[in-house]
Amino acid sequence: MILCTLLFPSDLSDYAGYENYFISRRRRFFAILAVTFVADVFDTLMKGFAYLHSFGLEYPVRIALNLAICVAGIFVSNRRVQIGLLLASFIYHVFTIVMLYRVQ
């Protein structure tokens, strides 16, 4: 819910549009998103190491990739880089879904 609020404000009067708003709030957005990935690791570990290992190598790769994207998103305000991060994340997640669920 917090991430949605950061993406879609109720008032844009102080900004030129959603893009300007997002770039000005990107650090908060990506920091909170990174915290959700770290919280997911703690949640998974609380369920036991067997549960963690049941996800295989893909889980730590996914977490590391997403955290790297969050860190890059925090420090880079360039529009092309932001779009590239979005596309990289989207393509990776679609690929993961196709591989895990054998979508044809």
Side-chain angles (χ1 to χ4, degrees):
M1 188 81 132
I2 294 171
L3 290 173
C4 290
T5 302
L6 286 173
L7 286 176
F8 302 105
S10 58
D11 182 24
L12 280 174
S13 61
D14 294 335
Y15 301 94
Y18 282 107
E19 180 180 347
N20 182 263
Y21 177 82
F22 174 75
I23 293 299
S24 72
R25 304 276 194 219
R26 75 182 189 287
R27 287 186 176 101
R28 290 181 209 162
F29 175 81
F30 284 113
I32 292 169
L33 185 59
V35 167
T36 65
F37 290 117
V38 172
D40 183 66
V41 171
F42 283 112
D43 178 62
T44 302
L45 284 171
M46 287 188 330
K47 295 173 183 170
F49 284 106
Y51 184 74
L52 173 66
H53 292 298
S54 71
F55 292 112
L57 184 60
E58 191 278 327
Y59 182 75
V61 169
R62 180 172 55 89
I63 296 297
L65 178 69
N66 283 309
L67 286 174
I69 288 172
C70 287
V71 169
I74 288 170
F75 292 106
V76 180
S77 64
N78 183 288
R79 182 175 193 256
R80 288 184 180 176
V81 174
Q82 290 288 336
I83 291 171
L85 294 172
L86 171 68
L87 288 174
S89 178
F90 181 75
I91 289 168
Y92 176 76
H93 285 95
V94 168
F95 175 77
T96 302
I97 290 167
V98 168
M99 296 305 294
L100 287 176
Y101 298 105
R102 310 269 190 250
V103 176
Q104 297 180 15

